[in-house]
Amino acid sequence: AGFRASEGLRGGQMIEITEACVERGGSVALDRVSLTLEPGEVLAVAGENGSGKSTLARLAAGALLAAGGSASVDGVDPAAGVPERAEVRRLVGLVPQDPADAIVSPRVFDEIAFGPRNLRCSEEEVTDRVAASLAAVDMTGARDRLVAELSGGELVRVALAGALAMRPCYLVLDEVGAMLDGALRGEVRALAHRLAKESGLGILMVTHDPIDIVRADRVAVLKAGRVAWSGSPQDLMRYEEGLWRQVVGEGLLAVTVRARELGSGSRHPGGSAALFQGASLVADSPSGPSLVIAGVSHRYPGADRQVLTQVDLTVQPGEVLLLSGPSGSGKSTLAAIACGLLAPERGTARPR
């Protein structure tokens, strides 16, 4: 997609974490963890909530320092000093689960350009890096958009583009799929594997997604701050069934659904697809008011793109309604309006 990885990749180098200990909030978050990540490798880090996955991700990226043991990148230990920390953060791109936490600029171009400008790249080089990074995440036309008008999935892609613009040797993805729809999650997964195989980036992917785990080259399972198991995904499924169930859950609940399509596939001004697909679990419905969304349209202040256009929707008591659609189609905006966190420009959303 036009992305060119760092020319500084050196064969045989790696992220190497050895007997690392990290304390957070007065408790042990990581306890004598040892782990490696080599260039061109995709490593899935899995485990239950609170097992230390995000702490490990930040340690690998140099955003946290080990209280004991060590964590180095291509032989550079960020604990050695400020220059070493800066070098590690150049070598490793970190994309957090909630990209809004890392946003620093109001426009997409400036957000992605922030890192290269801090590296003192020329403006011509900055422009080239931004263009290549946006192309890599399939957001070529978004360089002049406002960050505030982006959907959650689009924010993830912008954060990923910002990391790629630094020309890293490694990428750490901290549950970036948690905010994405299924199609976009697959696109990010495919991009990560392409970067690993074609550009030689090492990818550390913190995830609960069974597909991420199965497709990884190697899996490390954390439990209570320690590496409980490490090996191939095939061996995890074949020989560690109990651990596999802890990591990915008990599987999907089969339900009878009825499909509903809203918006008739029409397009909003600005090119955003006005298409939602829904499925609901049919159950014995208790009495009570329905939630009725009638004629809802919305555009964020200062944005040139209509997010919702004339959306009508009814949710019955006892009904579970699933809204799905491409990233940026308006799902989160409609949810915020439905629960009263956001007032629509036009239309209403209220019990009836």
Side-chain angles (χ1 to χ4, degrees), residues 172-225:
V172 175
L173 310 179
D174 187 5
E175 294 200 67
V176 297
M179 295 183 64
L180 304 181
D181 59 64
L184 184 55
R185 192 180 305 125
E187 290 174 14
V188 171
R189 183 188 304 118
L191 172 61
H193 282 266
R194 187 167 71 250
L195 290 170
K197 304 313 175 190
E198 296 180 3
S199 300
L201 271 72
I203 310 289
L204 190 156
M205 185 180 296
V206 175
T207 184
H208 284 285
D209 192 318
I211 301 177
D212 288 343
I213 296 170
V214 169
R215 289 204 56 195
D217 298 313
R218 191 161 49 92
V219 184
V221 179
L222 294 189
K223 193 168 186 178

Side-chain angles (χ1 to χ4, degrees), residues 117-338:
R117 283 172 174 162
N118 275 279
L119 294 177
R120 299 185 179 180
C121 296
S122 68
E123 277 303 305
E124 181 180 4
E125 174 70 9
V126 167
T127 300
D128 288 345
R129 288 190 181 206
V130 171
S133 299
L134 282 172
V137 298
D138 196 25
M139 288 191 70
T140 302
R143 54 164 282 164
D144 294 320
R145 288 179 63 186
L146 293 173
V147 173
E149 75 175 56
L150 301 177
S151 70
E154 288 170 328
L155 273 176
V156 169
R157 285 193 280 175
V158 166
L160 182 56
L164 293 177
M166 295 289 285
R167 298 290 188 259
C169 296
Y170 306 91
L171 275 179
V172 175
L173 310 179
D174 187 5
E175 294 200 67
V176 297
M179 295 183 64
L180 304 181
D181 59 64
L184 184 55
R185 192 180 305 125
E187 290 174 14
V188 171
R189 183 188 304 118
L191 172 61
H193 282 266
R194 187 167 71 250
L195 290 170
K197 304 313 175 190
E198 296 180 3
S199 300
L201 271 72
I203 310 289
L204 190 156
M205 185 180 296
V206 175
T207 184
H208 284 285
D209 192 318
I211 301 177
D212 288 343
I213 296 170
V214 169
R215 289 204 56 195
D217 298 313
R218 191 161 49 92
V219 184
V221 179
L222 294 189
K223 193 168 186 178
R226 305 195 72 178
V227 177
W229 189 90
S230 179
S232 73
Q234 293 77 17
D235 284 348
L236 176 61
M237 290 185 293
R238 185 180 298 122
Y239 302 119
E240 302 288 342
E241 182 179 350
L243 194 58
W244 170 260
R245 287 177 175 271
Q246 288 179 28
V247 169
V248 302
E250 294 296 326
L252 299 176
L253 174 66
V255 296
T256 302
V257 299
R258 54 184 174 84
R260 176 162 60 227
E261 186 175 293
L262 305 178
S264 301
S266 62
R267 291 192 171 273
H268 295 310
S272 176
L275 178 63
F276 292 90
Q277 291 182 327
S280 60
L281 173 63
V282 180
D284 294 332
S285 298
S287 59
S290 302
L291 172 63
V292 178
I293 296 171
V296 165
S297 298
H298 193 75
R299 184 198 306 266
Y300 287 100
D304 59 2
R305 188 177 69 97
Q306 191 83 8
V307 181
L308 296 172
T309 301
Q310 291 293 316
V311 173
D312 297 303
L313 178 67
T314 301
V315 185
Q316 303 291 344
E319 181 179 50
V320 178
L321 177 69
L322 171 66
L323 280 180
S324 107
S327 179
S329 60
K331 304 184 299 296
S332 296
T333 300
L334 185 61
I337 290 171

Side-chain angles (χ1 to χ4, degrees), residues 107 118 233 350:
R107 290 194 174 272
N118 275 279
R350 57 174 181 262

Side-chain angles (χ1 to χ4, degrees), residues 17-135:
I17 299 171
T18 306
E19 292 289 308
C21 298
V22 175
E23 293 186 1
R24 304 193 70 181
S27 61
V28 176
L30 294 178
D31 182 14
R32 291 170 290 167
V33 167
S34 294
L35 201 66
T36 61
L37 173 67
E38 298 184 359
E41 180 183 30
V42 177
L43 170 66
V45 175
E48 298 174 309
N49 291 334
S51 60
K53 301 186 302 298
S54 292
T55 301
L56 178 62
R58 299 190 67 200
L59 178 69
L64 283 177
L65 299 179
S70 64
S72 63
V73 180
D74 288 2
V76 180
D77 186 350
V82 174
E84 287 81 4
R85 283 196 288 279
E87 176 65 2
V88 166
R89 291 171 186 177
R90 184 191 70 80
L91 290 169
V92 186
L94 173 63
V95 182
Q97 180 177 354
D98 187 354
D101 292 342
I103 295 298
V104 297
S105 301
R107 290 194 174 272
V108 168
F109 181 93
D110 294 323
E111 176 62 28
I112 298 171
F114 180 80
R117 283 172 174 162
N118 275 279
L119 294 177
R120 299 185 179 180
C121 296
S122 68
E123 277 303 305
E124 181 180 4
E125 174 70 9
V126 167
T127 300
D128 288 345
R129 288 190 181 206
V130 171
S133 299
L134 282 172

